[in-house]
Amino acid sequence: LRYAEDAGVVVVAAAGNAGVGLCAEPGADAGAQVSLPGWYDELVAVGATGPDDAAAPFTVGGRWVDLAAPGTG
């Protein structure tokens, strides 16, 4: 990711798919789960929304999520 960032490339990835309510981040309590790949600062992390514009049931949230986009059929 750093190589891409140094080259001026914008990397976009899913924030993570683990279900609503998972909101862990690096350095959190030992029992917390970390959502990959979205928490890397070098990329744009995208969460998913449903038809009602609310968070999709499988998406995750946290401070690392940069934007949300339609993610269900």
Side-chain angles (χ1 to χ4, degrees), residues 14-70:
N17 293 332
V20 172
L22 176 64
C23 189
E25 55 189 277
D29 294 335
Q33 296 177 330
V34 175
S35 178
L36 295 174
W39 65 266
Y40 288 105
D41 289 334
E42 295 87 358
L43 58 77
V44 175
V46 181
T49 61
D52 58 357
D53 289 331
F58 55 83
T59 197
V60 299
R63 68 166 187 81
W64 65 88
V65 179
D66 297 300
L67 60 98

